[in-house]
Amino acid sequence: MTGGFLPYGRQTIEDDDIAAVAEALRGDFLTTGPTVEAFETAFAAKVGADHAIAVSNGTATLHLAMMALGIGEGDVCVAPSVTFLATANCARYVGAEVVFADVDPDSGLMTPDTLARALAGARDKRVKAVLPVHLRGDVCDLPALKAMASASGAVLVEDAPHALGSIATFDGVAHPVGDGAYSSFASFSFHPVKTLATGEGGMLTTNDPALAAKARLLRSHGMVRQPGGDPWWYEMPELGFNYRIPDVLCALGLSQLAKLDRFVARRRDLTALYARLLAERAPRARLATSPDHSDAALHLLTVLIDFEAEGISRRTVVESLKAQGVGTQVHYIPVHRQPYYAQRYGVADLPGADAWYARCLTLPLYPAMTNGDVERVVNALATVLG
């Protein structure tokens, strides 16, 4: 990869992935076939969950989770402001309202303190779900967040598209993200820049068989069939959606899942090299903070730069790095400042989210990168910052 343009993230597609898709194309089922179930079974086993439900994209996983949990009008969901739009939007899809939680300014994560403040602001409201986001791949303090959510009558739904392969250790027990030890659902995305790619696609994991059955039902229009009844007969007792995922994409997912350990190991090696090289240039650019309990398989390599103190704008840094063949991105614009939510709720005072956004910049990270690529990125950043 050294010498070419380095995007902030990209898929790793190899010959056996292409062969797996070609084999699926030659099969009897292009969608709603056995490869979907095979992918679900393998994924559940990988993360240690009892059930996995494959769907069309990551946003669909969150929407299905809200519906399966019975969340609707009059209910409230708490979401961190530093996340992608879908985390908050899933609550609005079912008519619920959103209370935005602040984040730690150095990790970007919802913490027990920021959740406590959000719950205090929602004390007169019916809070039904808390949606911690494992930003970049680092894991939130799930035991503390679950205890606080439960005390408010709410459940946890982990928004975990960044954290496939990450491990969190609580009370001496290591938990793969997605094992359902602390949440009703965990949500994953398989967009090309994620750790595992299917093009588009997502997965819900849960240990609750009733929730799993509900999500499967709602994934396909809410249709039910009677065993032993007329073969053409179906009924729709409730409204569902077409959130199915094709067998072709699940064939790619199965092939990629077999490589997950290798992908994760390479991401960790690259992250360690970034950490060493950036430490030599601290504090002008430093890695985002990771909690002690989190052994992350980072999806995003985010550095924090005090652009104002450096006397340079972030846009200048982004454009200068691009001119040197280094792609970057910003994760994320705080959702509480998006026009839709600002108009609906007003602009909340979330200083941690604003401080994170003011300093964050995502640098390239994906398994196909070489060590030389990392050196090139860090040297380019050092040149730009003078």
Side-chain angles (χ1 to χ4, degrees):
M1 188 66 65
T2 302
F5 184 79
L6 299 169
Y8 84 88
R10 77 182 311 274
Q11 69 276 11
T12 300
I13 301 296
E14 299 169 329
D15 288 345
D16 56 344
D17 297 314
I18 296 169
V21 172
E23 183 179 355
L25 286 170
R26 296 186 186 101
D28 293 330
F29 294 89
L30 293 184
T31 191
T32 324
T35 310
V36 177
E37 185 175 352
F39 184 33
E40 292 173 335
T41 299
F43 191 92
K46 190 66 178 176
V47 302
D50 291 341
H51 306 277
I53 304 95
V55 298
S56 54
N57 57 67
T59 300
T61 63
L62 292 169
H63 188 190
L64 285 177
M66 296 296 100
M67 291 190 293
L69 289 166
I71 294 171
E73 292 188 13
D75 296 331
V76 167
C77 296
V78 179
S81 184
V82 175
T83 184
F84 184 58
L85 303 169
T87 313
N89 290 353
C90 69
R92 295 296 305 130
Y93 292 160
V94 296
E97 302 297 338
V98 182
V99 169
F100 289 104
D102 206 356
V103 300
D104 180 277
D106 294 327
S107 71
L109 298 177
M110 176 193 286
T111 68
D113 285 343
T114 65
L115 176 58
R117 293 197 293 273
L119 291 173
R123 67 168 56 91
D124 297 326
K125 300 173 182 177
R126 193 167 65 208
V127 179
K128 295 294 290 292
V130 174
L131 288 80
V133 175
H134 301 318
L135 188 71
R136 301 170 290 103
D138 266 320
V139 186
C140 297
D141 186 347
L142 292 174
L145 298 183
K146 180 183 180 181
M148 297 172 67
S150 297
S152 297
V155 299
L156 283 193
V157 175
E158 296 174 69
D159 193 358
H162 295 187
L164 180 58
S166 293
I167 305 290
T169 301
F170 302 113
D171 295 325
V173 178
H175 295 277
V177 169
D179 73 351
Y182 297 99
S183 62
S184 296
F185 281 113
S187 158
F188 297 90
S189 166
F190 307 134
H191 183 275
V193 296
K194 299 300 194 300
T195 304
L196 184 156
T198 62
E200 288 284 2
M203 191 80 75
L204 271 177
T205 61
T206 182
N207 292 335
D208 187 321
L211 287 178
K214 186 75 166 180
R216 292 184 192 281
L217 174 68
L218 296 170
R219 172 180 63 177
S220 189
H221 301 284
M223 294 189 306
V224 296
R225 301 178 187 274
Q226 294 299 325
D230 293 330
W232 64 84
W233 188 258
Y234 59 86
E235 292 180 334
M236 191 190 79
E238 58 185 311
L239 188 65
F241 290 80
N242 180 2
Y243 281 161
R244 298 187 300 264
I245 183 172
D247 283 56
V248 176
L249 299 188
C250 289
L252 177 56
L254 271 169
S255 181
Q256 292 261 297
L257 187 63
K259 308 174 187 185
L260 180 62
D261 291 347
R262 168 160 61 93
F263 289 168
V264 165
R266 185 58 184 154
R267 284 179 177 273
R268 286 185 169 137
D269 287 346
L270 292 168
T271 300
L273 180 57
Y274 265 117
R276 179 171 64 81
L277 296 178
L278 287 167
E280 298 171 359
R281 293 158 174 81
R284 304 183 70 185
R286 60 185 179 87
L287 283 178
T289 301
S290 295
D292 290 340
H293 60 255
S294 177
D295 181 11
L298 288 187
H299 154 56
L300 299 175
L301 195 293
T302 303
V303 294
L304 301 178
I305 302 169
D306 188 337
F307 296 101
E308 184 176 356
E310 292 295 328
I312 189 171
S313 72
R314 179 163 47 195
R315 179 165 181 168
T316 297
V317 172
V318 168
E319 293 177 346
S320 298
L321 287 174
K322 183 178 180 181
Q324 297 184 61
V326 176
T328 59
Q329 188 52 272
V330 174
H331 296 92
Y332 293 96
I333 300 171
V335 185
H336 77 284
R337 292 191 173 276
Q338 292 295 338
Y340 173 85
Y341 289 108
Q343 291 168 12
R344 189 170 188 87
Y345 304 126
V347 178
D349 181 20
L350 302 178
D354 290 337
W356 170 269
Y357 172 65
R359 298 172 297 149
C360 68
L361 186 67
T362 298
L363 303 178
L365 179 68
Y366 48 92
M369 288 178 66
T370 67
N371 288 4
D373 291 328
V374 174
E375 293 171 357
R376 179 180 148 204
V377 171
V378 175
N379 288 336
L381 181 61
T383 299
V384 171
L385 294 179

